Amino acid sequence: MLNHNFQLHHARSLLFLPASNARAVEKARVLDCDMVILDLEDAVPDDRKDEARDGATAAAAHYAGKLVGIRINMAGTPWHGADMIAVKNSAADFVVLPKVENAKQVHDVYGVCAKPVIAMIESALGVTQAVAIGGFAGVAGLFMGNNDLRRDLGIPAGAGRAGLSFALQSVVLAARASGKAVFDGVYNKLDDSAGFEAECREGHAFGFDGKTLIHPNQVEAANAVFGPDEVALAEARRLIDAATGGAERHEGAMIEAMHVEAARALIARAEAVKR
């Protein structure tokens, strides 16, 4: 499981798919996304939940080279218990738990599923509890649920992300404090490629490891933004070659050991995401 957690930290593109959509589930096998999340929750109508569960468990073993998660329905719904048992008996690498607001929710699901949990932070309360949630040993990473969070915070439709920035950075901080992976929320405008790329760049600047997606046409841009580019890699290699120890001048800037470590981490990320 250590290898799966390593892969998660280096994931750039994490694609949600309705597990009831057999065509989308099949098509995702050849996409260049780093993780597939088979969704049993919001993307699936109530009368197709059982069908989606069966489809997800059958499909989970057939994504060679990709991480696989299954997003279950939350506690209190009629499907929660059956979802947990199905995930436990599936080939999924992770269980994705929506609307997490305390560590006990994660503890309970981890205890049944016996798989690492990716906790979705989707409310004001969830943000305030992110440190405790991220600190639970069974948590592998945190996802932002920005749509629900916007609603909970009362941010008007069509508003930018300024009102979310504190929450986003708080969750990144919580994840980093416990050494967990953390991923930005989805972008809803499927025909706005420029807006999507801009939001990816903002999320990257905030410190997110990658971005959750809702359409295959978003994969390429997410991979490009969250994956090291050749210019940055070349700079990293030059820095490593030039460093001799201690603080010193390099290409007009002062560098020290932490800059060398960051350069090596960038190169390691590039190696990790190679196909």
Side-chain angles (χ1 to χ4, degrees):
M1 197 54 65
L2 177 62
N3 183 50
H4 289 154
N5 286 335
F6 174 82
Q7 288 178 271
L8 184 66
H9 274 276
H10 293 92
R12 305 157 296 174
S13 49
L14 304 92
L15 179 63
F16 279 98
L17 299 169
S20 55
N21 186 333
R23 181 173 175 273
V25 168
E26 175 69 24
K27 181 180 178 181
R29 294 179 187 177
V30 298
L31 296 176
D32 198 28
C33 55
D34 294 323
M35 182 174 184
V36 170
I37 304 149
L38 301 165
D39 193 7
L40 308 181
E41 198 218 13
D42 286 349
V44 178
D46 290 357
D47 61 355
R48 300 190 67 187
K49 296 288 190 182
D50 294 340
E51 172 193 346
R53 186 186 308 114
D54 292 342
T57 53
H62 300 289
Y63 291 101
K66 302 185 197 310
L67 294 171
V68 179
I70 297 178
R71 178 163 73 167
I72 64 175
N73 290 280
M74 63 186 296
T77 66
W79 314 283
H80 181 68
D83 286 355
M84 289 194 292
I85 298 302
V87 172
K88 178 181 180 178
N89 294 321
S90 77
D93 304 307
F94 301 95
V95 54
V96 179
L97 181 61
K99 301 174 178 62
V100 178
E101 295 186 327
N102 58 70
K104 184 179 184 304
Q105 291 171 278
V106 180
H107 175 274
D108 292 347
V109 169
Y110 182 68
V112 175
C113 294
K115 291 182 185 288
V117 177
I118 298 175
M120 295 195 66
I121 307 299
E122 305 188 66
S123 67
L125 182 55
V127 172
T128 67
Q129 296 300 307
V131 171
I133 294 166
F136 178 67
V139 169
L142 303 176
F143 281 175
M144 292 304 309
N146 293 340
N147 290 328
D148 283 280
L149 182 57
R150 280 178 177 274
R151 181 179 58 192
D152 198 41
L153 295 177
I155 296 175
R161 296 221 300 179
L164 286 177
S165 62
F166 177 78
L168 295 171
Q169 292 171 322
S170 294
V171 175
V172 171
L173 183 65
R176 297 304 179 220
S178 55
K180 306 298 173 62
V182 61
F183 300 92
D184 200 359
V186 301
Y187 187 78
N188 299 317
K189 299 177 182 178
L190 300 181
D191 297 324
D192 182 10
S193 58
F196 174 73
E197 183 173 343
E199 189 165 291
C200 284
R201 293 193 181 283
E202 180 184 60
H204 187 239
F206 282 170
F208 287 104
D209 293 305
K211 191 162 182 67
T212 53
L213 315 175
I214 54 174
H215 196 278
N217 68 12
Q218 298 174 329
V219 171
E220 184 178 359
N223 284 349
V225 172
F226 287 98
D229 61 42
E230 291 304 317
V231 172
L233 288 170
E235 291 174 351
R237 293 186 182 103
R238 291 199 306 273
L239 188 151
I240 292 169
D241 290 341
T244 60
E248 56 192 314
R249 186 183 180 93
H250 170 67
E251 296 185 1
M254 292 301 296
I255 63 169
E256 52 187 81
M258 72 174 195
H259 299 103
V260 177
E261 292 171 7
R264 287 178 176 151
L266 189 72
I267 293 169
R269 182 174 176 83
E271 292 296 322
V273 300
K274 279 184 178 178
R275 295 294 182 194

